[in-house]
Amino acid sequence: MTINRANVSAIAEDLYVWLPPKRGWGLANCGLLVSETTALWIDTPYDPSMAGEFLAASRRLMPAGVEVDRVVVTHANGDHLWGAGVVPDAEVIATREALEHIHWEPTPQQQHALVADSDPDSPLGGYLKEHFGRFDWSATDPVHPDTVFTGELELRIGRYPVQITSLPAAHTGGDLMVHLPHQRAVFTGDVIFSSTPEQPGDHPSHWAGPLENVIGACEQALATGAEIFVPGHGPVLDRAGVREHIGYLTYVRDRAHSLHAAGIPALDAARRVIAEQRHPELGLPERLVLTVAAEYRHLDGSATPGVLDAMGQVALVARELAEDAAARIPRPRTARN
């Protein structure tokens, strides 16, 4: 898959962001912080082809002789981690808790085989091919962090301080945010999936939660005093945009709690929230299945399913939505003799 290189944009002094021009699974934002002696990536693209393009764009922006020496990974989903293989000499930094999520997800080559070999007529197989068939991990080895931490970690990239803070379980069990005080910017990872009227995004998919922690992480990002917020997916936000996203999260949390109290099963609760169409501009509404299910687990103590079981429910609801949409399309009238 080719990403338009024009989407590597300067957003502050020596700070650049890679913004994929499309929305959808696996199209994550990445950051580049440059100094005269070293450079930092914040997250990586999903597969080697995309990561190679980001590396080529980064090299055009770095002084001669400077390399990407460190990669901070906001969480361990593959679309933020697996591209680090194109900078094999860089130090990869993540939270200690991120290690558990790495072991929960399929490896890159396992995921490639799942996408390639699944039955395209089944809900899950069809969904995987539609949304993940654009990526190629056939020769991608697993990426493991070189440095893990809990709490806070401070780096320096040349003269620029980089403040990294681990977060309570939110999008995954091992999230962090990156605050760049000089640039007044925060990279939130997938704590935020953003959307604006000019560039609509997708519904979030939260694997861990509870949503109260996701909301708390958004508020923690605002508390830094930053003015620029780079989400894991979607357009860059200002402070008002983050507050709007908190409103979205609060709505989903409150509806999940109400439906749980009414005895509605998690999957049916997600269907109901989707049917309310509170945010019709957002894509991938079936991802609410993941977020609502995670919230239910915190309310009733149910076990975490395997990733394929979880994605199977997402795929089932996506097929239901597609069939409902097709049924609503008026059929052309046939001519009568």
Side-chain angles (χ1 to χ4, degrees):
M1 177 182 179
T2 300
I3 298 295
N4 187 341
R5 293 172 180 170
N7 286 285
V8 178
S9 304
I11 57 172
E13 185 178 1
D14 289 329
L15 180 63
Y16 304 86
V17 65
W18 162 276
L19 295 172
K22 298 179 180 180
R23 58 184 180 177
W25 284 98
L27 300 177
N29 299 330
C30 307
L32 168 69
L33 179 63
V34 176
S35 76
E36 294 181 354
T37 57
T38 186
L40 169 76
W41 270 5
I42 303 170
D43 285 336
T44 76
Y46 208 177
D47 73 1
S49 175
M50 293 171 59
E53 289 200 19
F54 181 40
L55 180 58
S58 298
R59 284 173 170 160
R60 290 193 293 272
L61 296 166
M62 296 186 296
V66 171
E67 297 291 340
V68 176
D69 296 319
R70 292 182 176 128
V71 178
V72 175
V73 179
T74 60
H75 60 288
N77 284 145
D79 57 335
H80 296 256
L81 171 65
W82 290 352
V86 303
V87 284
D89 296 328
E91 176 189 12
V92 178
I93 301 168
T95 67
R96 185 174 301 278
E97 293 78 8
L99 297 177
E100 182 176 346
H101 193 90
I102 290 174
H103 296 305
W104 184 70
E105 283 198 358
T107 66
Q109 293 185 23
Q110 286 172 338
Q111 185 156 315
H112 188 83
L114 281 168
V115 175
D117 299 337
S118 294
D119 178 4
D121 294 327
S122 69
L124 180 58
Y127 194 82
L128 291 176
K129 288 185 184 297
E130 177 183 357
H131 295 283
F132 297 89
R134 69 185 76 182
F135 305 110
D136 183 357
W137 308 289
S138 58
T140 301
D141 292 325
V143 176
H144 299 287
D146 300 293
T147 299
V148 295
F149 75 101
T150 57
E152 297 185 353
L153 181 67
E154 183 159 332
L155 310 175
R156 295 200 72 85
I157 301 300
R159 63 190 178 94
Y160 300 127
V162 179
Q163 297 172 352
I164 310 170
T165 304
S166 64
L167 300 170
H171 173 66
T172 69
D175 299 337
L176 61 80
M177 70 177 184
V178 181
H179 178 212
L180 307 174
H182 181 89
Q183 288 79 11
R184 302 192 70 183
V186 171
F187 284 73
T188 69
D190 286 1
V191 165
I192 298 179
F193 288 71
S194 70
S195 180
T196 63
E198 299 77 21
Q199 188 177 343
D202 293 313
H203 282 275
S205 54
H206 292 305
W207 302 93
L211 286 171
E212 192 62 34
N213 285 359
V214 184
I215 293 168
C218 293
E219 292 172 341
Q220 189 172 342
L222 287 171
T224 64
E227 298 290 340
I228 300 167
F229 299 87
V230 182
H233 299 260
V236 176
L237 296 178
D238 58 14
R239 296 180 67 83
V242 176
R243 294 190 187 99
E244 288 178 8
H245 188 64
I246 290 173
Y248 166 95
L249 295 168
T250 301
Y251 158 70
V252 175
R253 179 200 62 190
D254 292 349
R255 291 298 293 129
H257 286 217
S258 295
L259 292 164
H260 183 272
I264 307 300
L267 185 58
D268 289 334
R271 289 184 175 111
R272 292 196 184 195
V273 177
I274 291 167
E276 291 170 4
Q277 294 190 333
R278 178 72 172 264
H279 293 276
E281 76 282 5
L282 298 181
L284 303 175
E286 65 271 14
R287 297 208 299 201
L288 280 161
V289 170
L290 297 173
T291 301
V292 171
E295 193 68 9
Y296 264 51
R297 290 196 293 274
H298 288 280
L299 294 171
D300 57 30
S302 54
T304 301
V307 63
L308 292 183
D309 291 333
M311 288 300 296
Q313 289 197 333
V314 170
L316 175 64
V317 170
R319 179 162 291 190
E320 292 171 355
L321 293 171
E323 290 172 349
D324 289 346
R328 290 194 297 269
I329 297 175
R331 296 183 178 180
R333 295 181 180 180
T334 58
R336 295 183 179 179
N337 293 331

